[in-house]
Amino acid sequence: MTIYEHLPHPHIASRRAQGPVKVTDQLPTGSAVSRFNTRVAILVTRAVGSMWCAYAFALFDLISLPDAINAGASAIVSWVAQTFLQLVLLSVIMVGQNVQAAASDRRATATFHDASATLHEVAHVQAHLAAQDALLTRIAEQIGLEPVAVAETLSGEDVVEESSAG
């Protein structure tokens, strides 16, 4: 008889099989049209979300700068706000979001590996406790005591199933 019976949470096995969630896991796998649209969107996002595109937009916007200067202060403000900032910042913000998404994927992978290592260590602790339970059971039997059995519930709370103090 063991003093403690561990019931592993069912999520553990399924989580190990799945691995960490990544941005690419969110891509559609359905119809050909859906996959095509996603590929086009990713290509456009990669192109527009690059610093080279931001530089190209900045150069393109500079073409209209002389006309804005000649038109006066309100035209310059309008050019900066409506032309330059919108186009250039669009690409710069997308670059930042791509960097953040990559960092998020790395954090998710690291967290997954940390959790896996923790589960591994907990399994070793459980084996150590099982060995101690066996020893304590033998000692209890030698001195005439009956150990109290404890089982873990699925919610993680320990409950005493049987108690027989003799």
Side-chain angles (χ1 to χ4, degrees), residues 76-149:
I76 292 174
V77 170
S78 177
W79 177 84
V80 169
Q82 294 177 358
T83 306
F84 189 78
L85 288 179
Q86 285 183 7
L87 282 178
V88 174
L89 286 181
L90 169 74
S91 293
V92 173
I93 289 170
M94 289 177 71
V95 169
Q97 287 176 333
N98 290 339
V99 169
Q100 289 175 338
S104 177
D105 279 351
R106 284 192 303 273
R107 280 191 305 273
T109 300
T111 300
F112 178 80
H113 291 304
D114 290 345
S116 295
T118 301
L119 289 173
H120 178 78
E121 292 300 316
V122 167
H124 283 283
V125 169
Q126 288 170 343
H128 184 156
L129 290 172
Q132 288 180 346
D133 285 351
L135 181 60
L136 288 172
T137 300
R138 284 199 329 249
I139 293 170
E141 288 170 354
Q142 286 179 357
I143 62 173
L145 294 176
E146 188 174 322
V148 177

Side-chain angles (χ1 to χ4, degrees), residues 16-102:
R16 276 191 185 143
Q18 288 175 355
V21 177
K22 303 231 175 145
V23 173
T24 55
D25 296 337
Q26 309 307 311
L27 299 178
T29 58
S31 70
V33 172
S34 177
R35 290 191 314 270
F36 172 78
N37 288 340
T38 301
R39 284 191 184 112
V40 170
I42 289 172
L43 287 173
V44 169
T45 301
R46 284 185 182 153
V48 175
S50 70
M51 286 307 296
W52 292 112
C53 188
Y55 300 142
F57 283 166
L59 291 174
F60 181 73
D61 287 345
L62 290 176
I63 293 171
S64 63
L65 179 60
D67 291 338
I69 292 172
N70 291 335
S74 66
I76 292 174
V77 170
S78 177
W79 177 84
V80 169
Q82 294 177 358
T83 306
F84 189 78
L85 288 179
Q86 285 183 7
L87 282 178
V88 174
L89 286 181
L90 169 74
S91 293
V92 173
I93 289 170
M94 289 177 71
V95 169
Q97 287 176 333
N98 290 339
V99 169
Q100 289 175 338

